[in-house]
Amino acid sequence: MPARPPVRVASLHYAWIVAATAFCVLVVVAGIRSTPGVLMTPIEHEMHWSAETVSLAAAINIALFGTIGPFAAALIQTIGLRRTMVLGLAITSLSVFAAGFSREPWELVVSWGVLAGIGLGMLAMVLAASVANRWFVARRGLVTGALTAATATGQLIFLPVLASVADRFGWRHATWIVAAAAVVAIVPVILFIRDKPESIGLTAYGATGETAVVAPAGTNPLAIALGALGRASKSPAFWVLSGTFFICGASTNGLIGTHFIAACGDHGIPEVRAAMLLAAMGIFDLVGTTASGWLSDRMDNRVLLFAYYGLRGVSLLFLPMALDASFAGLSFFAVFYGLDWIATVPPTVRLATQNFGLDEGPIVYGWIGAAHQLGAGAIALAAGAIRTHLGTYTPAFEMSGVLCVAAAFAILALPNVPKLANAYGAPETRLAGA
């Protein structure tokens, strides 16, 4: 797909067009990723499968979503941003469509767990970082926060609709709706996404003559991804960020995103109402994550992460009591937890870029994101097993809450990096607006 000159909008840098298009794609991705939480109970009832069985497909999807990330970042460097996005959306749409025809557990595992996990992994964890690093120098943290907040917007748009469709027409129709949305999302990607500013004769938004340029990559995505991992693994910062992000995944999409609606059902709250609560969290998450991106441009990101993990831990420890208090207590939880849901992403992206540079930062963040999704996949499966064998999700919520408090203190062990560093630890000139 050759790069055509984009339509120019007076006084608007084209970076904002790319960011807006990426935001729309990430909204669709968020809708697809949120689908298992809505369909968990309907699939159990129709197919007579246990929560543990359905959780297996969700866990594999979440784990692959993360582990594909660093290879997706390398693929973006190899074949370009636009081709990677189109390929990911195509794989996702076909696999999710096929999942709607599942009659046996293994069919759901292969279609939704494996294939959809690969397709989604090419689109989400590293896409925001790649767009922000390629197209922005000024406002990079704000853009990362806004793109990350697309998850909230996707929940807000898709969750109530999917819950209503699943309730009225069955869970299969819900999967076909999100498959169609993935197909539609391909169109703006082809029309508006460009690989980098230089391909259309521009510089990144806010770039100056002293701004570092992302180094050209090699041609082997596997070698690029593994090489970045080898260099990053020698840095203590990589292990601190990966360990805390593992806990982040074990306290967000793997737990609340996957099991919250089912947990509400255990306490007599109807599925559609529970989906509305989850969507409401998305509204507050949109505010919280965008604000986090703005703050990450201005504050010590370690302090931000300390606050985010600590507050999230408190909210999860409160959740069992909120469920017992029914809808009123959950409304309070939705506000408190929602503000903090994905607020950890902009500071983590920022710290990865500061420690590992503009060129390898997104790839290293892909590996850190893989740890996030491994944590999410582990808790998705574990929470399903706990619910199957103990009849309650309470131990899973309490375990994640304690882990979040531990992560809050662990992040303080991360050394301060006042200047942008490359993958070998040598400082580079700080970018304008960075």
Side-chain angles (χ1 to χ4, degrees), residues 38-39 42 160-174 271:
V38 176
L39 302 186
V161 174
L162 294 176
S164 180
V165 169
D167 184 56
R168 296 181 61 186
F169 303 105
W171 66 272
R172 300 179 191 277
H173 289 79
E271 184 175 310

Side-chain angles (χ1 to χ4, degrees), residues 230-243:
R231 288 182 287 275
S233 64
K234 300 174 183 178
S235 167
F238 173 78
W239 296 106
V240 173
L241 290 172
S242 296

Side-chain angles (χ1 to χ4, degrees), residues 36-42 44 49-56 58 250 253-268 316-321 323-324 378-401:
V38 176
L39 302 186
M40 182 78 65
T41 301
E44 287 180 43
W49 299 340
S50 69
E52 189 173 9
T53 298
V54 181
S55 297
L56 177 61
N253 58 315
L255 182 63
I256 300 300
T258 304
H259 293 287
F260 178 77
I261 294 176
C264 287
D266 289 345
H267 289 76
L316 286 170
L317 291 172
F318 168 76
L319 179 55
M321 292 180 285
L323 285 166
D324 289 336
I379 197 66
L381 185 59
I386 289 171
R387 170 63 180 80
T388 297
H389 296 289
L390 300 182
T392 177
Y393 284 107
T394 296
F397 295 142
E398 293 175 341
M399 177 175 61
S400 288

Side-chain angles (χ1 to χ4, degrees), residues 57-251:
I60 292 173
N61 178 286
I62 292 170
L64 282 174
F65 172 78
T67 53
I68 291 296
F71 301 100
L75 192 64
I76 288 172
Q77 290 195 11
T78 304
I79 68 173
L81 183 63
R82 181 167 57 169
R83 286 190 178 95
T84 301
M85 292 174 70
V86 170
L87 180 60
L89 285 167
I91 294 172
T92 299
S93 62
L94 290 173
S95 57
V96 171
F97 181 75
F101 294 95
S102 299
R103 299 291 178 183
E104 300 291 337
W106 71 266
E107 295 173 338
L108 188 67
V109 167
V110 171
S111 58
W112 193 278
V114 177
L115 297 178
I118 292 172
L120 290 169
M122 299 173 67
L123 295 167
M125 290 299 288
V126 298
L127 182 56
S130 296
V131 170
N133 281 0
R134 284 170 173 247
W135 283 91
F136 290 87
V137 175
R139 308 291 185 268
R140 183 176 291 145
L142 177 63
V143 171
T144 302
L147 291 178
T148 304
T151 298
T153 308
Q155 287 180 206
L156 179 63
I157 294 172
F158 281 93
L159 276 175
V161 174
L162 294 176
S164 180
V165 169
D167 184 56
R168 296 181 61 186
F169 303 105
W171 66 272
R172 300 179 191 277
H173 289 79
T175 65
W176 297 332
I177 287 175
V178 292
V183 173
V184 172
I186 293 175
V187 177
V189 171
I190 294 174
L191 292 178
F192 300 118
I193 290 294
R194 298 295 179 268
D195 292 335
K196 53 187 177 180
E198 294 78 13
S199 66
I200 55 174
L202 298 176
T203 57
Y205 179 80
T208 67
E210 298 179 353
T211 300
V213 177
V214 176
T219 58
N220 187 334
L222 183 64
I224 295 170
L226 295 179
L229 174 63
R231 288 182 287 275
S233 64
K234 300 174 183 178
S235 167
F238 173 78
W239 296 106
V240 173
L241 290 172
S242 296
T244 54
F245 226 36
F246 180 95
I247 294 172
C248 181
S251 57

